[in-house]
Amino acid sequence: MPFQQVKPSANGGQHDHTLCANRKTETAILHAKLDTVPPTIVNSQGIYLITEDGRKIVDASTGAAVACIGHNNARVNSAIMSQLNSFAYIYSPFFTSKISEKLARALSDSTQNQMAKAFIVSSGTEAIEAALKMARQYFLELPKPQTKRTHFIARRQSYHGNTLGSLSVGGHFARRAPYAPLLTGNVSHVSPCYAYRGKTPGESDESFVARLAQELEDEFQAVGPTKVCAFVAETVSGTTLGCVPPVPGYFQAMRAVCDRHGALLMMDEVMSGMGRCGTLHAWEQEGVVPDLQTVAKGLGGGYAPIGALLVNKRVIDALKQGSGAFIHSQTYQGHPVACAAAYEVQQIMQEENLLENVRELGPYVGKLLQDKLGDHPHVGDIRGRGFFWGVEFVKVKATKEPFPVEQRVAPTVFKTGLADHSISFIPGTGVADGKNGDIIQIAPPYNASRADIEMIVERTAQVVRQVLG
């Protein structure tokens, strides 16, 4: 059935004023679209968001894969209030707090102290900015400083944040395009590990990995091996590809190229880390340990803005033997209230065995999606790991031809889900070539039950069938 943009059904029409229509009183908030005010949320509980008109929306993506233990958890709320009743803010270059020290220690311990220090900030983007600076500073701190190392190699169709530095490293064409003249020129991009579109017919995983490793090697040579600071990659790709796990051996091969030339391996786990893929750190499943790692979304579960840069012991040792300082700071780094929220989220994850739940039910999410949508003529691929799944839509299944971006397939699936089925996904575009190609992401909270998963997948299938036939 050819794709046609659908109008909200009569069942959903009563909510149109909330979903997308202009309001008589113009909002003062600069929303993503100037002529659209999104639904107003007035309450939440667990997997549900409650709108001002009383609807219960299933938060199937936990926002942007953030609300990892669900909404409105009493323990986290209490921890926040307890910290507020003590003190809310300190300037971290001058002072420290017990709660920020506890959170940093817990993060380091979770890596068996391989990542020796945590630099705690307020977002994933800030963590990436800090990582880029740390990579550069590392080479300046060596006994024989390597001052020529100013270049970063990243991957096409990647995303690492929206500031100019992090956007420069990212490889999503549409997000970069308006700001291209402002982005730094010391970044180049290689192919992502995107087996669905990247592997040639009959190509084995081993051959695919070898080809990608050679491409990275060739890029090192083109740039000049002694000029590269780091290779930057999402451990499991986020929205710009749609939950694409690496094929076996990929990161070991990338690590080998970096080690051969003395460059650092930077792994972005802002979206895929902190339990989302079934282990606290997604790299634990890849047989490598990064030099620099960024985390954010699952760290604080949305209860407060927080992210962190985790730094490998060998990088810290270089700073200790050099200047003894990190030449970077943020006004809200180590914010006590955010740290209190994040520490409690992490305690709940451990005490309630939520990672075990993700590991147990993660394959079930994939199986249900395959059962319900695998044979749909416009579903090209279903992929993921843990509670992090993507469904890619295609115009022609046999050739993997994507829908053109003008048809707005993913945005229409999102709007239809919200209006007619009270379910929220993450829509993504440009997955095929940076411009065309559509996905939705499903990322339930780690404490979602089997019944929750079944309900989410059933509603997802209903939405896809309504939009795409």
Side-chain angles (χ1 to χ4, degrees):
M1 173 180 175
F3 170 77
Q4 295 180 342
Q5 291 206 30
V6 298
K7 297 179 180 179
S9 69
N11 180 50
Q14 61 183 314
H15 306 299
D16 290 354
H17 71 283
T18 304
L19 289 171
C20 58
N22 298 337
R23 290 181 176 172
K24 292 181 180 179
T25 303
E26 185 173 343
T27 177
I29 293 178
L30 183 58
H31 290 292
K33 293 185 179 297
L34 296 182
D35 62 350
T36 302
V37 178
T40 298
I41 302 302
V42 297
N43 209 332
S44 65
Q45 189 61 53
I47 202 169
Y48 293 99
L49 298 171
I50 316 300
T51 67
E52 64 180 345
D53 58 353
R55 284 198 304 146
K56 292 177 67 176
I57 295 174
V58 177
D59 191 6
S61 62
T62 54
V66 173
C68 59
I69 64 167
H71 298 281
N72 210 355
N73 184 283
R75 278 185 57 178
V76 183
N77 294 346
S78 177
I80 290 171
M81 289 306 302
S82 177
Q83 184 59 50
L84 282 171
N85 288 331
S86 178
F87 60 94
Y89 171 75
I90 54 172
Y91 187 43
S92 290
F94 295 170
F95 306 101
T96 190
S97 66
K98 290 182 178 179
I99 190 60
S100 62
E101 297 287 351
K102 283 174 66 175
L103 179 62
R105 172 50 53 201
L107 286 169
S108 181
D109 287 349
S110 73
T111 71
Q112 291 74 52
N113 299 313
Q114 295 174 99
M115 310 303 282
K117 300 281 186 182
F119 182 74
I120 301 169
V121 290
S122 300
S123 69
T125 293
E126 290 180 10
I128 288 289
E129 291 283 338
L132 298 174
K133 289 184 176 181
M134 180 63 80
R136 168 63 176 168
Q137 188 179 341
Y138 166 75
F139 289 105
L140 299 179
E141 300 280 357
L142 295 174
K144 293 184 178 180
Q146 300 180 25
T147 58
K148 293 182 179 179
R149 290 197 185 262
T150 59
H151 194 88
F152 293 88
I153 302 174
R155 304 190 301 187
R156 291 186 287 275
Q157 292 139 285
S158 61
Y159 181 68
H160 299 289
N162 245 342
T163 55
L164 292 179
S166 59
L167 197 61
S168 297
V169 180
H172 189 274
F173 174 78
R175 296 184 186 186
R176 289 169 52 93
Y179 312 106
L182 306 179
L183 302 182
T184 62
N186 63 325
V187 180
S188 55
H189 296 86
V190 294
S191 298
C193 187
Y194 185 14
Y196 174 63
R197 292 189 178 276
K199 287 177 71 173
T200 59
E203 186 174 32
S204 67
D205 285 349
E206 292 79 7
S207 296
F208 182 44
V209 167
R211 181 159 58 84
L212 293 176
Q214 187 59 53
E215 182 183 355
L216 182 60
E217 173 66 31
D218 292 344
E219 188 62 25
F220 265 86
Q221 296 301 329
V223 170
T226 60
K227 295 181 180 179
V228 178
C229 271
F231 172 60
V232 185
E234 297 157 285
T235 311
V236 177
S237 295
T239 309
T240 53
L241 276 185
C243 308
V244 177
V247 300
Y250 170 77
F251 273 105
Q252 291 173 321
M254 300 303 107
R255 167 99 262 179
V257 175
C258 291
D259 288 349
R260 183 156 59 244
H261 300 296
L264 301 180
L265 175 62
M266 185 189 304
M267 298 177 78
D268 180 350
E269 298 197 357
V270 166
M271 187 170 264
S272 64
M274 301 311 295
R276 177 58 59 188
C277 293
T279 50
L280 196 63
H281 307 289
W283 53 258
E284 294 177 71
Q285 302 175 49
E286 303 305 324
V288 299
V289 180
D291 298 300
L292 300 168
Q293 175 193 358
T294 55
V295 298
K297 298 176 187 294
L299 177 59
Y303 287 87
I306 193 165
L309 164 64
L310 308 186
V311 187
N312 192 290
K313 184 178 183 300
R314 79 181 181 103
V315 176
I316 292 298
D317 286 346
L319 266 64
K320 285 181 177 178
Q321 295 163 16
S323 67
F326 180 28
I327 311 171
H328 176 64
S329 68
Q330 303 276 168
T331 299
Y332 295 111
Q333 71 190 58
H335 194 282
V337 176
C339 289
Y343 186 79
E344 195 66 22
V345 167
Q346 297 306 307
Q347 292 300 109
I348 290 168
M349 284 169 53
Q350 289 184 35
E351 293 170 18
E352 297 184 6
N353 298 315
L354 297 190
L355 294 187
E356 287 81 353
N357 190 56
V358 174
R359 286 194 289 270
E360 179 184 346
L361 291 182
Y364 188 54
V365 180
K367 180 182 184 301
L368 286 180
L369 286 169
Q370 287 289 352
D371 290 346
K372 296 285 186 179
L373 291 171
D375 61 355
H376 191 286
H378 294 300
V379 172
D381 192 35
I382 297 169
R383 66 286 185 123
R385 181 183 288 176
F387 274 10
F388 197 44
W389 288 86
V391 178
E392 180 168 348
F393 305 115
V394 291
K395 185 176 181 179
V396 181
K397 192 161 188 167
T399 62
K400 305 178 185 178
E401 178 188 350
F403 285 102
V405 66
E406 293 79 12
Q407 289 196 253
R408 296 182 56 78
V409 172
T412 301
V413 170
F414 168 74
K415 289 180 179 179
T416 302
L418 204 57
D420 294 356
H421 300 270
S422 293
I423 187 169
S424 179
F425 316 109
I426 307 175
T429 59
V431 300
D433 56 16
K435 178 182 178 182
N436 304 300
D438 298 85
I439 60 99
I440 56 169
Q441 280 182 313
I442 296 170
Y446 304 165
N447 50 7
S449 67
R450 184 172 288 259
D452 291 332
I453 297 302
E454 291 167 352
M455 178 265 291
I456 286 171
V457 173
E458 179 58 36
R459 290 198 195 186
T460 302
Q462 290 172 2
V463 175
V464 172
R465 287 194 291 266
Q466 181 176 334
V467 175
L468 294 173

